[in-house]
């Protein structure tokens, strides 16, 4: 591993290769005879890869803090515990840390399966040259943590507004007597509840460990299918992995049928879109840029043809990145 690190350093090769990691995980799953399930095998090898990468070169990862949040979980899931994780106060701060080379990569939330897109993240792509290198999905799991012996002893419930809203059914059944106090994050909720034996927090498993507060009840969320999608930002341009996704944004003329004609490029080449969002340009009233994710890599002939057609019908097209599609 150290020899590979020296070789990559001499050739200026990127130390993080998401497409290669995907191929490793797929090969392991195909060759796994059991009894370990593939999910456990992937978790073990994620740490092996993380430790090996750290031997090649120390890797710094910026994420939307504080520690113990779902963004922290995403950073661990993608880069493992051998990376140096740097919490940032805001999404623009994550972009800034990577642009200033204070971090090698950044992790930013881009959409939630129930709440929709994160506009701050989309808006930042019009102000940066950073690329999307990878993606990761994190299940939204809400847990109740408390030092109280019973739920009847809980008088105060600290929770971020979103976590509270997504756990209403469980709260109505078990903690309707407790006073809800808003917290700025799941981590802050855990920190506050850890200091009060009559309080509880809706928080993450990581935060329970960080703030030394017992996990009383796991999975109190109303929907077991809620997921948040995170993007890895950096300077990488991953090669095709066999199952990829591409992110772009573009703009069309402000006239009837312009968007329809532009979007026909994807239909003409049978390319599946996975997300489409519009954001104001902020340079002129009622003018928009469109963000699109679709399946395929920019080096695919069909994608190349579709993008050429799109450019003919657009004012501009900018490719944010092609990267391995997360499970």
């Amino acid at each position: 591993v150290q020899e590979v690190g020296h070789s990559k350093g001499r050739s200026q090769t990127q130390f993080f290769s998401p497409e290669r990691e995907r191929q490793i995980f797929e090969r392991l799953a195909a060759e796994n005879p059991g009894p370990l399930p593939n999910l456990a095998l992937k978790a073990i090898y994620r740490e092996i890869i993380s430790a090996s990468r750290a031997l090649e070169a120390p890797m710094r990862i910026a994420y939307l803090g504080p520690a113990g949040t779902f963004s922290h979980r995403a950073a661990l899931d993608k880069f493992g515990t051998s990376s140096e994780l740097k919490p940032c106060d805001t999404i623009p701060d994550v972009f800034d840390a990577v642009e200033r080379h204070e971090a090698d990569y950044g992790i930013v939330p881009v959409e939630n399966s129930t709440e929709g897109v994160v506009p701050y993240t989309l808006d930042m792509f019009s102000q940066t040259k950073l690329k999307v290198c990878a993606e990761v999905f994190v299940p939204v799991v809400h847990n109740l943590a408390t030092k109280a012996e019973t739920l009847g002893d809980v008088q105060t419930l600290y929770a971020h507004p979103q976590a509270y809203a997504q756990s209403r059914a469980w709260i109505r059944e078990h903690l309707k007597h407790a006073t809800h106090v808003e917290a700025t994050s799941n981590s802050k909720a855990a920190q506050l509840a850890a200091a009060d034996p009559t309080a509880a927090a809706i928080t993450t498993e990581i935060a329970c460990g960080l703030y030394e507060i017992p996990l009383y009840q796991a999975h109190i969320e109303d929907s077991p299918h809620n997921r948040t999608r995170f993007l890895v930002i950096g300077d990488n341009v991953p090669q095709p992995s066999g199952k990829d996704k591409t992110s772009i944004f573009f703009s069309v003329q402000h006239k009837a049928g312009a968007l329809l004609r532009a979007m026909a490029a994807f239909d003409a080449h049978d390319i599946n879109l996975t997300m489409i969002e519009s954001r104001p340009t902020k340079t002129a009233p009622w003018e928009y840029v469109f963000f699109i994710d679709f399946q395929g890599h920019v080096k695919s002939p069909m994608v190349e043809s579709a993008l050429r057609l799109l450019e003919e019908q657009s004012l501009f097209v900018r490719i944010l990145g092609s990267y391995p599609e997360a499970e």
Side-chain angles (χ1 to χ4, degrees):
V1 167
Q2 289 173 324
E3 286 299 318
V4 168
H6 294 319
S7 175
K8 286 182 177 180
R10 288 191 297 269
S11 62
Q12 300 293 305
T13 303
Q14 295 283 357
F15 292 97
F16 173 53
S17 177
E19 69 276 25
R20 175 63 181 141
E21 290 180 13
R22 180 191 186 90
Q23 291 163 0
I24 290 171
F25 290 138
E26 288 179 346
R27 176 177 57 80
L28 288 168
E31 296 179 1
N32 180 22
L36 278 178
N38 287 335
L39 207 60
L41 196 66
K42 184 175 181 179
I44 293 167
Y45 270 84
R46 183 190 302 118
E47 287 304 314
I48 292 174
I49 291 170
S50 176
S52 299
R53 232 184 356 238
L55 285 175
E56 293 180 0
M59 191 161 289
R60 300 159 300 173
I61 313 300
Y63 68 93
L64 180 62
T69 59
F70 289 114
S71 294
H72 188 184
R73 176 79 267 164
L76 287 171
D77 285 354
K78 197 63 189 176
F79 292 97
T81 57
S82 294
S83 299
E84 179 188 337
L85 303 184
K86 173 185 171 64
C88 297
D89 292 334
T90 67
I91 289 173
D93 287 343
V94 177
F95 279 83
D96 190 58
V98 181
E99 288 176 334
R100 292 177 180 272
H101 304 291
E102 295 170 2
D104 299 295
Y105 297 94
I107 291 266
V108 288
V110 68
E111 63 176 328
N112 177 267
S113 58
T114 61
E115 303 294 330
V117 299
V118 180
Y120 291 118
T121 296
L122 295 185
D123 291 344
M124 284 303 300
F125 281 113
S126 62
Q127 306 172 35
T128 183
K129 293 182 179 179
L130 296 176
K131 298 285 189 180
V132 180
C133 310
E135 68 174 356
V136 57
F137 287 92
V138 174
V140 177
V141 176
H142 295 308
N143 307 291
L144 188 84
T146 181
K147 291 184 175 180
E149 292 187 7
T150 68
L151 292 179
D153 298 329
V154 175
Q155 300 173 15
T156 306
L157 175 62
Y158 293 103
H160 184 275
Q162 231 175 43
Y164 186 87
Q166 293 170 0
S167 309
R168 285 187 188 279
W170 192 93
I171 294 168
R172 275 198 304 268
E173 184 176 351
H174 300 282
L175 274 181
K176 60 183 178 181
H177 62 276
T179 302
H180 172 220
V181 177
E182 286 192 7
T184 53
S185 69
N186 294 322
S187 294
K188 187 63 176 178
Q191 186 180 5
L192 291 168
D196 182 356
T198 66
I202 300 177
T203 190
T204 64
E205 189 175 357
I206 301 176
C208 289
L210 286 172
Y211 299 105
E212 298 180 347
I213 181 170
L215 194 156
Y216 186 92
Q217 176 69 53
H219 290 282
I220 67 169
E221 67 275 1
D222 296 339
S223 171
H225 308 296
N226 193 4
R227 302 284 185 275
T228 298
R229 176 181 171 226
F230 293 84
L231 299 179
V232 177
I233 55 173
D235 294 319
N236 265 27
V237 182
Q239 297 301 307
S241 71
K243 186 180 180 184
D244 300 289
K245 185 182 286 185
T246 297
S247 298
I248 67 171
F249 74 92
F250 66 98
S251 183
V252 297
Q253 292 183 338
H254 189 40
K255 61 182 184 181
L259 180 60
L260 176 63
R261 288 189 292 273
M263 297 297 288
F266 298 102
D267 179 54
H269 290 86
D270 198 28
I271 292 174
N272 184 44
L273 305 184
T274 58
M275 185 189 83
I276 177 168
E277 289 289 335
S278 63
R279 294 295 299 156
T281 61
K282 299 185 180 180
T283 57
W286 316 120
E287 291 188 3
Y288 296 86
V289 291
F290 298 92
F291 288 84
I292 285 182
D293 292 336
F294 58 84
Q295 292 176 315
H297 196 280
V298 287
K299 291 192 175 181
S300 158
M302 292 182 67
V303 171
E304 287 180 343
S305 299
L307 290 176
R308 279 196 297 270
L309 276 178
L310 179 64
E311 288 172 348
E312 292 173 5
Q313 299 294 333
S314 304
L315 296 173
F316 73 86
V317 177
R318 184 180 160 201
I319 298 170
L320 298 177
S322 286
Y323 46 92
E325 186 174 12
E327 297 298 332

